[in-house]
Amino acid sequence: MEVNYVYQKKRTEFGRQCLFSDKGPDLIDNYPAHKEWMKSFILRDPVRKASQNAPVQAEHEINTLRAEKANSGMNHFEGGWPKDVNILDEDSTKRYRRKIEKDDAYNPTIFQLAQCMEDCILQNNAINIYQQYFDDVEPAAFVEPSSARIVNVFQDQCFAKRPITHVSWAPENGTRLVMSHCSLAYQSKGDDTSSYIWEMENPNTPFLVLKPEYPSVCLEYSPKDGNLLISGQMDGRVAIWDIRKGSEPVDHSQIEVSHRYPVFKALWIASKTGCEFFSASPDGKLVWWDMRKLGDPLEVLMVDLVDDRFQSLTNALGVTALQYESTVPTKFMVGCENGEIYSGNRKGKTALEKLNIKFDGQLGPVLALERNAAYMKNFLSIGDWTAKIFAEDCRESPLMWTTYHKTPLTDGAWSPSRFSVYFTTRADGILDIWDILQQQKQALCGIKVCDVPLKCLRCHEMGKLVAVSNTIGTTYLIELSENLTMSSKSEKILLNAMLERENKREKILEARNREIRLKLQQQQQLAEQLAEEGVESQEPVEENFETTWLIPEVKQTEEDFLKDVADEIKKRSPQQPEEDTASKAEEADDF
């Protein structure tokens, strides 16, 4: 079946009929030359003229208007109420609500608005295209280079620049930090004893100037109240500060019951009242205080491990570093001037019971001690030219340590947000950032902060900022990159596996060393017994078994080293007689 449809239209509606013809071109316009105008013609050479085919239209009907944007705000305070309703009267507002709810147009209006609200909720609940689809698969981390930059600088307001000995951040993610200025040099001159509290965003003017009677060696914020501080002073006393009451201390201890040397460290203790703290000094005393009665200390402990019955300051070891963790309220750690580290417990009755664990820490004074935030049994020690990581289970040697730097280290701290990262400051003005999961022989990155020695550092609670101070009274606020702040899910597992592996290795070495020591001791006792009976021993026994190499591989390495030294001496002096060469070889063996 064929379907046809006929369109009908009048001829007049088609328009004018086109009539074509065979015709040549016609000249429509002709401009003949004017002879009189030719006389006034001036020849101009060269001639520069620009032309464009399309006409220039600066404004046209199709051009759109420019969108003008403006920022404006609106304060909405109980809007939509009629003038005759008092919004402060609760009964009046309730009556008006009941009146509106009884209106016939109330329900249709609510249903109409609910539909728009539902569309918005569905849009918010839509699938996020950037969200990880599989829950059990960790997304690939963004490869970001480790970096740090200085974002603020706080300078000493005193004319004579003084070193900064301690820095403390305000609690609860605070934006304030307090710095204690004090020169510990012998007979140092200076009349200004002030220290400063700074706002993080205002480096020009201090928030508050603290004016003690003597310079403050350390200032520490209370972890529960951002208005309370404790300070250890140059004269050996401790003081309490309340910044709401002014720039002077509200109370201080008596000189008779205080320290005999400057108070290097003072830390708050986790207690029910939140008023207890303890302090340490190079005089060898640890004193526990209650801020409500500073005239009578709660407890005094002398680091005298020679005679436990009659403790005296004569044999006490000077304390240069102090560590306390609120999660283990009865434990604490002290670092001494001779490089030894003691882990203590307040529950002990005598000094030997309170300081029962000893570590051979540094070659010089221990300058910093801090436990890892995730693994409390592992702690960081800073002193001489190295930084060492210890475990409480291994007492003979550290788990990890850095190589010896060319300049001494002055301070160090763990990162509170990334548990495998720690920071160290050096005497050449460099801040080193270490990550033991990535590399252990050298720092992950280092930033040249200044040209003078750095003195101390303190990390913010969030781990994003680090405050670093130097010996001329300047503090630098350093911001870290995101990969040094945020930790991944697998990082804690990898760090735990690494620490356990190193712990097992150290325990195996300690057991091996104890077996060799016991064997040597038995040989020594047997030799002494045979000597008393007049019988010569068939086996040679080392007289000083403590200095005998405990591991054969180490002894072989030493012999190879001495042999290489002797060969190098022969190469450098081939023309000398053999007697001189032999004597130098003997000197190398003695070395």
Side-chain angles (χ1 to χ4, degrees):
M1 179 178 178
E2 186 177 356
V3 179
N4 294 328
Y5 185 79
V6 180
Y7 290 90
Q8 295 181 357
K9 198 175 184 179
K10 295 182 179 181
R11 178 65 187 81
T12 56
E13 297 177 0
F14 279 101
R16 184 179 177 181
Q17 184 180 3
C18 297
L19 301 176
F20 300 99
S21 62
D22 227 350
K23 185 181 179 183
D26 294 336
L27 183 61
I28 299 176
D29 295 327
N30 184 19
Y31 296 95
H34 205 287
K35 296 182 179 180
E36 295 182 357
W37 289 357
M38 287 292 293
K39 297 179 181 179
S40 59
F41 179 77
I42 300 175
L43 182 63
R44 187 172 60 179
D45 189 18
V47 178
R48 295 179 181 178
K49 186 177 181 181
S51 62
Q52 187 176 358
N53 295 333
V56 179
Q57 296 179 351
E59 186 175 355
H60 196 264
E61 58 185 7
I62 65 172
N63 290 350
T64 57
L65 297 178
R66 182 177 180 181
E68 299 290 343
K69 298 181 180 180
N71 296 327
S72 61
M74 180 180 64
N75 184 16
H76 181 76
F77 180 76
E78 289 292 337
W81 294 97
K83 296 181 180 179
D84 55 346
V85 177
N86 185 10
I87 60 176
L88 301 178
D89 187 4
E90 187 177 356
D91 295 336
S92 178
T93 55
K94 286 183 178 179
R95 286 195 301 268
Y96 183 77
R97 288 194 184 98
R98 286 196 295 268
K99 178 183 176 182
I100 293 298
E101 290 174 358
K102 293 179 181 179
D103 193 0
D104 296 337
Y106 177 75
N107 290 334
T109 305
I110 291 298
F111 283 123
Q112 184 179 0
L113 296 176
Q115 185 177 1
C116 300
M117 183 180 66
E118 185 180 3
D119 294 340
C120 297
I121 293 175
L122 292 176
Q123 288 179 2
N124 292 334
N125 295 335
I127 298 176
N128 184 9
I129 62 175
Y130 300 103
Q131 186 179 3
Q132 184 67 18
Y133 186 75
F134 299 99
D135 296 335
D136 56 344
V137 177
E138 184 179 356
F142 178 72
V143 180
E144 179 184 1
S146 302
S147 62
R149 64 187 185 96
I150 300 174
V151 295
N152 237 336
V153 180
F154 307 92
Q155 296 182 351
D156 188 5
Q157 304 297 304
C158 179
F159 178 75
K161 304 303 180 183
R162 304 159 296 165
I164 297 178
T165 54
H166 193 79
V167 178
S168 178
W169 286 92
E172 298 177 358
N173 197 15
T175 59
R176 297 175 186 172
L177 64 164
V178 60
M179 307 168 192
S180 57
H181 295 259
C182 178
S183 178
L184 297 174
Y186 180 67
Q187 292 184 349
S188 60
K189 297 181 180 180
D191 299 331
D192 196 343
T193 61
S194 59
S195 296
Y196 307 101
I197 298 178
W198 296 85
E199 284 282 356
M200 190 172 60
E201 300 295 338
N202 185 14
N204 299 322
T205 306
F207 174 76
L208 183 65
V209 180
L210 304 179
K211 298 179 180 179
E213 184 179 357
Y214 292 93
S216 297
V217 184
C218 62
L219 277 162
E220 188 71 26
Y221 265 107
S222 171
K224 295 184 178 180
D225 190 353
N227 297 316
L228 296 178
L229 298 97
I230 55 174
S231 67
Q233 296 184 354
M234 191 74 173
D235 60 343
R237 296 184 298 172
V238 293
I240 304 296
W241 303 80
D242 191 344
I243 61 177
R244 295 168 295 187
K245 297 183 179 181
S247 58
E248 295 182 357
V250 295
D251 195 7
H252 56 78
S253 62
Q254 300 298 325
I255 193 67
E256 293 82 6
V257 295
S258 301
H259 297 275
R260 297 186 180 183
Y261 283 78
V263 182
F264 276 20
K265 297 293 181 181
L267 298 176
W268 291 89
I269 298 176
S271 59
K272 295 180 180 180
T273 59
C275 301
E276 297 182 8
F277 63 96
F278 71 127
S279 58
S281 173
D283 62 353
K285 281 199 306 184
L286 295 175
V287 185
W288 281 262
W289 307 86
D290 191 333
M291 60 177 292
R292 296 171 296 183
K293 46 179 181 179
L294 292 179
D296 186 15
L298 299 177
E299 185 181 352
V300 178
L301 174 63
M302 298 181 186
V303 191
D304 180 10
L305 304 177
V306 178
D307 192 352
D308 194 13
R309 296 173 298 173
F310 307 101
Q311 286 194 328
S312 64
L313 292 177
T314 305
N315 300 324
L317 299 175
V319 179
T320 56
L322 201 60
Q323 191 279 331
Y324 178 79
E325 179 60 39
S326 59
T327 56
V328 281
T330 59
K331 291 187 177 182
F332 62 93
M333 298 186 70
V334 294
C336 302
E337 289 180 336
N338 60 352
E340 296 178 352
I341 302 172
Y342 292 92
S343 177
N345 194 335
R346 287 190 67 187
K347 293 183 178 180
K349 297 181 179 179
T350 62
L352 292 178
E353 292 179 358
K354 291 181 179 180
L355 302 173
N356 54 356
I357 302 177
K358 173 189 171 183
F359 302 91
D360 293 331
Q362 309 293 149
L363 300 177
V366 180
L367 301 179
L369 282 175
E370 186 171 342
R371 291 183 183 270
N372 192 292
Y375 303 94
M376 295 300 173
K377 68 177 183 180
N378 299 103
F379 61 91
L380 176 69
S381 170
I382 302 294
D384 52 71
W385 296 269
T386 59
K388 299 180 180 181
I389 299 176
F390 289 86
E392 290 184 348
D393 300 340
C394 303
R395 305 179 184 180
E396 295 186 3
S397 60
L399 299 183
M400 306 175 191
W401 58 90
T402 63
T403 56
Y404 282 86
H405 294 78
K406 295 182 180 179
T407 56
L409 301 184
T410 56
D411 201 358
W414 288 99
S415 172
S417 57
R418 277 204 64 186
F419 308 126
S420 63
V421 174
Y422 66 94
F423 311 94
T424 58
T425 54
R426 288 158 44 179
D428 55 357
I430 295 178
L431 171 68
D432 287 329
I433 304 174
W434 300 77
D435 191 347
I436 58 178
L437 285 180
Q438 295 192 21
Q439 53 189 15
Q440 302 174 10
K441 294 185 178 180
Q442 61 182 1
L444 188 63
C445 66
I447 175 174
K448 181 70 173 179
V449 180
C450 56
D451 296 330
V452 297
L454 297 177
K455 189 68 176 177
C456 58
L457 69 91
R458 196 67 177 269
C459 298
H460 193 260
E461 292 180 1
M462 305 303 294
K464 186 71 174 178
L465 300 174
V466 179
V468 183
S469 304
N470 58 15
T471 56
I472 60 173
T474 306
T475 299
Y476 301 88
L477 196 61
I478 299 177
E479 183 180 8
L480 305 175
S481 57
E482 188 175 354
N483 63 332
L484 295 175
T485 307
M486 305 298 294
S487 60
S488 60
K489 296 180 181 179
S490 60
E491 181 177 352
K492 196 170 182 179
I493 300 174
L494 295 174
L495 181 60
N496 187 23
M498 172 183 285
L499 294 177
E500 287 184 356
R501 183 176 65 251
E502 295 295 330
N503 200 347
K504 290 180 181 179
R505 184 178 67 85
E506 290 297 329
K507 286 182 179 179
I508 293 172
L509 292 177
E510 288 181 5
R512 172 65 175 164
N513 292 343
R514 282 195 297 268
E515 291 178 1
I516 296 177
R517 288 196 192 99
L518 182 59
K519 183 178 179 181
L520 294 175
Q521 189 175 2
Q522 291 176 354
Q523 292 179 0
Q524 183 74 15
Q525 293 176 357
L526 180 60
E528 292 176 358
Q529 184 178 0
L530 294 176
E532 291 178 358
E533 296 177 357
V535 180
E536 295 183 359
S537 176
Q538 300 296 329
E539 297 181 0
V541 180
E542 294 287 344
E543 295 182 359
N544 188 7
F545 61 88
E546 293 182 354
T547 59
T548 305
W549 288 103
L550 304 179
I551 302 176
E553 291 80 0
V554 178
K555 185 177 180 181
Q556 182 65 32
T557 304
E558 188 204 15
E559 293 177 355
D560 295 341
F561 171 74
L562 295 177
K563 183 179 179 181
D564 294 339
V565 172
D567 295 341
E568 187 68 23
I569 292 174
K570 291 179 181 180
K571 291 179 181 179
R572 294 187 179 183
S573 57
Q575 298 179 357
Q576 293 183 0
E578 296 181 357
E579 296 181 356
D580 297 343
T581 307
S583 61
K584 288 189 176 182
E586 292 178 358
E587 293 179 359
D589 293 337
D590 296 338
F591 173 74

